[in-house]
Amino acid sequence: RRRTPTGTIAASSSSMPRKVLTRATATVDDAGAGPFRVEPEGLTGQFANLYFTRLGMLSPVAREAAASAWGGPPTWVKALDAPANGETVAVVGTLFAELSNKPDIDKGLEVAEAAHSGAYVGGEEGTDSYCLEDESGRLQLGGVDKLVSSRGLRLVTGAVIAVRGVVDQDGVLTVGDVVFPGAPPAAPSAASAAAEDDAAGTHAPAPHDKHLALVSGLRVGQGDEAEELPLTLLSEWLTGHVGGGADLALQASVARFVVAGNAAADPAAEGSPSAEVDPLKKVGAPQQRSLAAGMAALDAALSGFGGAVPVDLMPGATDPAGHLLPQQPMHPCMLPQCSRLSTVALRTNPFACSVDGVPVLGTSGQPVTDLLKYSA
C-alpha cells in the first residue's frame, strides 16, 4: 500500500494525474491542562454549594420565564412558607426525585442488581416521589406523574424549575404546571460573526471548511474479529485511502479527531476473558494478558490515527481511568507508543477547548446516561 506523508492525502488513478490534498490545520487552545484537570487534593468539594449557586443564578431566569408563560407574575413564595389556604402559589427550587428503583445501601445485594437495570424510574405507580428545595427547605410535590405523562416531560434530580399549584392541608403542593429556565444564549464566536457578515454580504467565505471528527465506543481489543472491520474502515477513511474526489476533500478538511470515550475494550463485556473477574480479588495471569493485549491494540490504533490527523483521547465509563467526574486523562504508561506523539493528546472527560476561536465542550456520555436513569 502506498504511504502518504503526515498531513497529506493522495488521490490518483490510472487515467488521472496524482493529486495531493493538504490536511486542514486548526489552532487549539485548551487553557493549559484544561478547566477539568484537577489534582487529587482538589476532589474534596461538596455538591451542595454547586446546587445552591446554580439555584441563585437561575432563579431570576426561571421567574421571568414563568411570568411569560403564565401571562403575568404569580404569587411567589418560599418552599416552607407556602400557605395551605387554597391559594394558587408558585415556587422556584431544585427538583429532587426519590425513585423507588434507585439503589439503596440498606438493601444489601439488591444494590448490584438495581445498578444494572439501566433506569431507576418505572417502579409501581405512585412509588416515586418528588420535592422542591430552595434556601428555606423542601416542599413535597404531588401530581407530578400525571403532569409528566400528559406533557411528555422528563424531570431529573438537580434541575432548577418553577412550579405552580395549590398546597393542601398535608403540606403537599399539587403541581398544575411547570416551567424551565431554558437554554442560555449562545456566546458570540468568530463563526457566528462570520455568519452575520455573510448575511450582510460583507464577509468573504473561507476557501476551505474545517471539521472535527467525533467517534466513541471503539472498544479496540474486544477480541471479536467482526469488530475490527469498522476500525479498519475508519482508519482508511481518515487517511484518505477510500472514496472519490468529494470524499477526499472532506477527509482533508478534518482538522482533529476526537475519541469521546470507551476506546478500550470493555473488561466486563460478555465473552471477555476478564468478564467474571471479581474486582476485589487478584487478577489472574490470563486476564492480565487479555487486558494488556487490548491496551496494546488501542495504543497501535491511536498511533496510526496520530500519523494522519491530530487526536484527542477522552476516557469513558469502561476505560481504565477513574470513574469520578471529571475523569482525568488515561495514564501515558498504558499507551507508551501514541503518548509520545505530539499529535496525540490525552484529555479529560469532560473536555473543553477552543478550536480556531470556536468554543468546544463535550463529554463521553455519562451525564446523558445518568440523566436517563434519574429522570421520569
Side-chain angles (χ1 to χ4, degrees):
R1 176 179 296 163
R2 181 180 72 256
R3 297 184 63 86
T4 59
T6 302
T8 63
I9 293 178
S12 65
S13 67
S14 58
S15 59
M16 297 180 61
R18 186 169 181 267
K19 181 180 180 181
V20 177
L21 301 177
T22 302
R23 170 79 64 184
T25 60
T27 302
V28 177
D29 180 10
D30 61 355
F36 298 104
R37 186 67 182 265
V38 296
E39 299 300 328
E41 57 270 17
L43 297 175
T44 58
Q46 296 295 319
F47 283 104
N49 294 333
L50 173 63
Y51 281 128
F52 283 115
T53 300
R54 185 167 57 186
L55 176 61
M57 297 178 65
L58 290 180
S59 287
V61 183
R63 290 172 182 263
E64 183 178 350
S68 176
W70 296 333
T75 303
W76 295 105
V77 297
K78 295 293 184 181
L80 293 187
D81 297 333
N85 57 6
E87 179 185 1
T88 299
V89 296
V91 185
V92 173
T94 302
L95 181 70
F96 177 78
E98 184 65 39
L99 307 177
S100 57
N101 287 340
K102 187 173 68 173
D104 187 345
I105 193 172
D106 294 331
K107 295 182 180 179
L109 295 178
E110 295 182 10
V111 173
E113 182 179 354
H116 292 284
S117 64
Y120 302 145
V121 295
E124 296 182 6
E125 185 176 356
T127 57
D128 296 338
S129 61
Y130 303 86
C131 64
L132 202 63
E133 183 180 74
D134 63 9
E135 301 88 342
S136 66
R138 286 186 173 184
L139 174 64
Q140 195 71 25
L141 302 180
V144 176
D145 291 336
K146 181 179 179 180
L147 182 66
V148 166
S149 60
S150 63
R151 292 182 50 182
L153 299 176
R154 280 192 176 273
L155 298 179
V156 61
T157 291
V160 175
I161 60 175
V163 298
R164 180 177 64 175
V166 178
V167 180
D168 61 21
Q169 295 300 322
D170 295 326
V172 178
L173 186 145
T174 302
V175 180
D177 196 10
V178 58
V179 172
F180 302 92
S189 65
S192 61
E196 293 177 359
D197 291 341
D198 286 340
T202 60
H203 173 72
H208 300 290
D209 290 329
K210 298 179 182 180
H211 296 87
L212 295 179
L214 305 175
V215 69
S216 65
L218 293 178
R219 304 192 189 280
V220 180
Q222 194 72 46
D224 188 351
E225 295 183 358
E227 298 293 334
E228 297 180 3
L229 178 59
L231 184 65
T232 301
L233 291 176
L234 175 62
S235 177
E236 296 284 338
W237 190 89
L238 284 174
T239 55
H241 288 101
V242 294
D247 297 315
L248 293 175
L250 177 60
Q251 294 157 9
S253 71
V254 175
R256 298 196 73 85
F257 176 51
V258 181
V259 183
N262 297 345
D266 183 0
E270 184 177 356
S272 173
S274 55
E276 302 300 327
V277 174
D278 188 339
L280 299 180
K281 297 182 180 179
K282 184 178 179 179
V283 179
Q287 289 78 19
Q288 290 182 12
R289 287 194 292 269
S290 174
L291 294 172
M295 292 305 299
L298 174 61
D299 193 13
L302 293 175
S303 298
F305 290 136
V309 61
V311 179
D312 295 300
L313 176 64
M314 300 166 55
T318 62
D319 288 324
H323 289 281
L324 291 178
L325 292 181
Q327 285 182 294
Q328 299 307 288
M330 296 171 62
H331 201 283
C333 72
M334 294 186 288
L335 303 166
Q337 296 182 42
C338 72
S339 61
R340 298 177 183 176
L341 301 178
S342 61
T343 54
V344 177
L346 305 182
R347 303 298 192 179
T348 60
N349 170 39
F351 172 54
C353 67
S354 175
V355 182
D356 276 357
V358 178
V360 177
L361 171 63
T363 75
S364 295
Q366 293 97 319
V368 177
T369 302
D370 288 343
L371 185 146
L372 295 176
K373 282 184 177 182
Y374 286 92
S375 61

